[in-house]
Amino acid sequence: SRANEYVDVPIATGLGHARNALVPLNGDAVIALAGGVGTLSEIGFAGIYDRPVVGLETHELPPLEIDLETAETPEAAVDAVEAAVER
């Protein structure tokens, strides 16, 4: 009940930052929004679990073993993750 109106499937864990490993495991791809170190850890876990990541106004990272693409709009981010999942 605490999730905002845009959340279709809330993942209630009560685990604090330990939940960051669960976030990428609950989807086929990740859209990373602007954030702090928690967002960075979610991007890292997405890489560990081979989930494609699209950044939307998020951290700029050096080339890593993570499939990280950037998008300029929310629509472009959704299109990019859908295309990545279809690959």
Side-chain angles (χ1 to χ4, degrees):
S1 66
R2 289 197 223 157
N4 71 47
E5 63 185 279
Y6 302 103
V7 174
D8 292 328
V9 181
I11 304 165
T13 64
L15 296 173
H17 290 291
R19 74 180 183 282
N20 292 359
L22 299 176
V23 171
L25 285 172
N26 279 280
D28 297 320
V30 174
I31 297 177
L33 305 176
V37 295
T39 302
L40 283 173
S41 71
E42 290 170 345
I43 292 170
F45 281 118
I48 289 168
Y49 296 116
D50 296 320
R51 299 300 195 267
V53 181
V54 175
L56 182 60
E57 296 182 18
T58 193
H59 307 283
E60 298 226 3
L61 299 172
L64 300 169
E65 295 177 16
I66 296 174
D67 180 12
L68 178 63
E69 183 179 338
T70 58
E72 297 295 321
T73 66
E75 295 82 7
V78 171
D79 290 345
V81 295
E82 287 177 346
V85 168
E86 288 177 5
R87 288 185 218 146

